[in-house]
Amino acid sequence: MVFAGKRPNNLGVNNGKLVPCPNSPNCVSSQSTDAVHQIAPLTFTSTPEEAISNLKSIIESLPRTQIISESPDYLYAEFKSAILGFVDDVEFYLDRNANVIQVRSASRLGQSDLGVNRQRIETIRARLNQV
């Protein structure tokens, strides 16, 4: 069984902002202001171009992951769970003004994600800072 759901059609960056998280707890965003959804943006010490390139390499190295769209300042990837094939939509926006990478990771289906989205971003953060 695969619980992929439909790919959202409202993703992307609009006036420097990623789409807000829904009310359900299965989403984290570095642009959210509430404690349930808030997560720190990704930081980097390289050039912005190197940071996004490194980020892309990290994403491509993770299992069951597919980059759906990319531009110089934006990456959108789908992460699929191993067991039931749940799909999470994960976005990265290179915020050149703040010199950080804004992130949003959200499950397509269900309510709880058992912390998977938050853990994924923290794993990526740790790997990005090792490069």
Side-chain angles (χ1 to χ4, degrees):
M1 272 174 95
V2 176
F3 294 95
K6 284 195 167 144
R7 184 175 291 156
N9 59 6
N10 64 339
L11 299 181
V13 181
N14 193 345
N15 293 324
K17 296 284 186 197
L18 297 168
V19 177
C21 281
N23 289 331
S24 55
N26 58 2
C27 175
V28 294
S29 171
S30 58
Q31 295 180 323
S32 183
T33 54
D34 66 275
V36 173
H37 299 112
Q38 215 296 315
I39 193 166
L42 302 178
T43 57
F44 52 89
T45 54
S46 64
T47 67
E49 292 74 21
E50 286 174 313
I52 207 87
S53 175
N54 292 340
L55 178 61
K56 182 179 176 186
S57 297
I58 291 166
I59 293 166
E60 289 175 334
S61 75
L62 296 171
R64 299 172 309 283
T65 303
Q66 180 182 4
I67 292 178
I68 304 302
S69 66
E70 62 178 295
S71 70
D73 292 349
Y74 177 79
L75 281 173
Y76 163 41
E78 290 178 345
F79 289 75
K80 198 174 283 186
S81 69
I83 299 177
L84 295 175
F86 283 101
V87 174
D88 295 338
D89 297 291
V90 187
E91 298 178 279
F92 302 90
Y93 162 55
L94 179 59
D95 185 340
R96 291 176 185 269
N97 294 332
N99 210 39
V100 296
I101 299 172
Q102 302 290 354
V103 297
R104 180 183 185 273
S105 185
S107 303
R108 273 190 201 164
L109 301 174
Q111 278 288 315
S112 175
D113 66 352
L114 305 174
V116 167
N117 284 293
R118 185 172 298 279
Q119 184 56 50
R120 174 184 302 115
I121 297 303
E122 293 305 337
T123 298
I124 291 170
R125 179 192 319 280
R127 291 191 50 191
L128 188 63
N129 291 324
Q130 290 172 351
V131 176

